[in-house]
Amino acid sequence: FWGLGWHQCRYGYTGLADWKGVHDNYIKNNLPLDTLWTDIDYMDKYYDFTLDPTKWGPQSDFIGFVNQMKQEGRQYIPILDAGVARQDYFGYNVGTEMDVWVKRFKGSNDPFVGKVWPGLATFVDWFHPNATDYWVDMLTKTEQTVGFSGLWLDMNEPSNFCNGECGGVYPDAGPKIPTPYTPGMQDLEFKNIAMAAAHYGDDLHIEYNTHGLYGYMESQATNKYFTSVKNERPMIISRSTYPGHGAYAGHWLGDNASNWGDLKLSISGILDFQMFGVPLVGADICGFMGNTTPELCSRWMALGSFYPFSRNHNTIGTISQEPYALGPTVLEVSQKYLRVRYSLIHYIYYQFVQAHREVLPVWR
């Protein structure tokens, strides 16, 4: 139920004191807040399942604050990326022992190696019979470290900073699958894992045939962690989706920009995803890239308060855009429209009940 409340995030919080300050300023300015989030900068060297002790202080301080928020009725959601750092640490070592990585090509026992935020990385093969057990183990370790209530799955198309396999890892280049038709005249391996990369199963189980299922299957495994291990209703937001994905997780519309055009596009984007079977969906309110303005953020707060999933989020190097940070007009608009949202919260919840029972869109 709290997932239908108000969420606050940014990439660029400088540490625990800064993050606590956001929490305190929401209370000071009489603004509702259900959930605080962290982007990739909470991780140690961007390694999944870890916490950066230099930036965020001792783990006991971090989880102590998270537990304080839970006692107040507030929650915490961290991000996890699809690429697991190819480094000597438990996330990679356990995955290697369980043999859960996507392979270079059919017949190869070598993991496919791409590159994301931590550098060289491997990717979980969700078709592998050990994959869900590995994921449940890693999520259990992550929860013990940071105490999350929900999860944010990012970069899970899966995204790759190399075009196909990164060079210099293996002495020979992996095979290429010919693609005579490329939508948008773009190589299918552009910022993607190789089309020949192999998944567990028969010869058809290669990335070329299964690419669209990656985020969907990751969300299924994450959903299982919440429902089967924690016995909780899951709150999961994923970047990559597939028709019917809403049975397992929600979605946000990705890295938008702080401009009027992207505000407008968020409306059609949310309506589209109602038809795709993903009713819990929203856009980064006030915009993710670039600096917002008080006028734009005021209008976006008024609109975004009625998104099925409502979160303010922006990137590192931009101005703060929490509702209290942009002056009295944005604060007043935010106080007004967030309270309208909360006054309708049971009605919004009922729309999700109808989406489940009658396959009706929440936004229509």
Side-chain angles (χ1 to χ4, degrees):
F1 194 75
W2 54 265
L4 300 180
W6 178 252
H7 301 259
Q8 177 63 55
C9 183
R10 80 163 295 166
Y11 176 26
Y13 289 133
T14 58
L16 185 56
D18 189 20
W19 201 47
K20 282 183 176 179
V22 175
H23 163 273
D24 295 345
N25 275 314
Y26 262 88
I27 296 172
K28 176 183 176 181
N29 288 282
N30 199 27
L31 287 160
L33 175 68
D34 263 285
T35 312
L36 273 178
W37 298 49
T38 51
D39 209 309
I40 57 173
D41 41 8
Y42 82 95
M43 301 177 191
D44 187 10
K45 299 187 288 289
Y46 303 131
Y47 292 8
D48 275 338
F49 325 120
T50 67
L51 177 69
D52 182 351
T54 303
K55 178 179 287 189
W56 295 89
Q59 183 264 346
S60 58
D61 289 354
F62 185 92
I63 204 166
F65 176 61
V66 170
N67 288 334
Q68 174 196 324
M69 288 200 295
K70 289 179 180 178
Q71 290 170 2
E72 298 168 351
R74 297 182 174 91
Q75 312 297 329
Y76 165 54
I77 295 180
I79 195 171
L80 285 175
D81 282 345
V84 177
R86 187 173 177 262
Q87 298 290 339
D88 183 15
Y89 90 112
F90 67 91
Y92 177 73
N93 294 339
V94 173
T96 300
E97 291 168 7
M98 298 180 72
D99 193 33
V100 298
W101 307 128
V102 174
K103 301 301 191 290
R104 296 182 68 200
F105 49 83
K106 280 296 177 182
S108 172
N109 291 319
D110 295 323
F112 171 85
V113 178
K115 183 179 181 180
V116 284
W117 297 109
L120 296 178
T122 50
F123 301 85
V124 177
D125 177 4
W126 300 107
F127 290 92
H128 196 285
N130 293 338
T132 298
D133 289 343
Y134 164 80
W135 195 241
V136 166
D137 184 23
M138 293 301 106
L139 296 189
T140 300
K141 286 180 169 62
T142 307
E143 185 175 21
Q144 291 168 351
T145 303
V146 300
F148 61 75
S149 298
L151 283 169
W152 174 18
L153 308 177
D154 194 16
M155 305 284 285
N156 59 341
E157 291 77 22
S159 184
N160 181 12
F161 293 168
C162 298
N163 298 330
E165 189 171 74
C166 293
V169 177
Y170 297 110
D172 59 319
K176 295 274 288 184
I177 290 181
T179 52
Y181 174 68
T182 54
M185 303 300 292
Q186 186 79 269
D187 189 326
L188 295 182
E189 294 190 353
F190 178 75
K191 304 303 180 186
N192 197 356
I193 72 174
M195 293 295 100
H199 297 269
Y200 186 89
D202 63 24
D203 288 348
L204 292 176
H205 284 73
I206 58 174
E207 185 65 13
Y208 182 78
N209 296 324
T210 64
H211 177 76
L213 295 173
Y214 196 94
Y216 179 71
M217 296 180 75
E218 182 188 29
S219 295
Q220 286 180 316
T222 308
N223 184 288
K224 183 175 181 180
Y225 171 76
F226 283 101
T227 57
S228 299
V229 178
K230 290 173 61 66
N231 195 30
E232 293 178 358
R233 300 173 75 175
M235 174 60 188
I236 305 164
I237 296 296
S238 172
R239 189 167 85 178
S240 178
T241 62
Y242 194 76
H245 181 101
Y248 304 100
H251 174 62
W252 99 107
L253 296 176
D255 295 348
N256 61 4
S258 297
N259 60 51
W260 294 99
D262 280 9
L263 180 152
K264 180 180 179 181
L265 284 172
S266 73
I267 298 172
S268 58
I270 291 171
L271 289 170
D272 285 344
F273 272 86
Q274 305 304 299
M275 294 185 286
F276 302 155
V278 190
L280 183 64
V281 59
D284 284 344
I285 293 168
C286 299
F288 177 73
M289 297 181 290
N291 290 327
T292 192
T293 66
E295 170 77 11
L296 175 63
C297 198
S298 294
R299 298 291 186 178
W300 214 323
M301 287 295 300
L303 170 65
S305 295
F306 299 99
Y307 289 165
F309 166 60
S310 286
R311 182 185 68 166
N312 181 309
H313 178 46
N314 64 325
T315 192
I316 194 168
T318 56
I319 62 173
S320 295
Q321 63 180 37
E322 293 85 359
Y324 55 79
L326 291 167
T329 300
V330 178
L331 177 60
E332 182 180 350
V333 169
S334 300
Q335 289 170 332
K336 175 182 177 179
Y337 283 98
L338 289 179
R339 277 170 172 72
V340 172
R341 179 183 183 85
Y342 277 85
S343 73
L344 297 170
I345 202 77
H346 290 93
Y347 173 79
I348 296 170
Y349 178 81
Y350 181 68
Q351 299 312 303
F352 280 91
V353 173
Q354 291 293 87
H356 173 69
R357 290 177 176 171
E358 308 292 339
V359 201
L360 292 173
V362 170
W363 244 41
R364 56 187 189 270

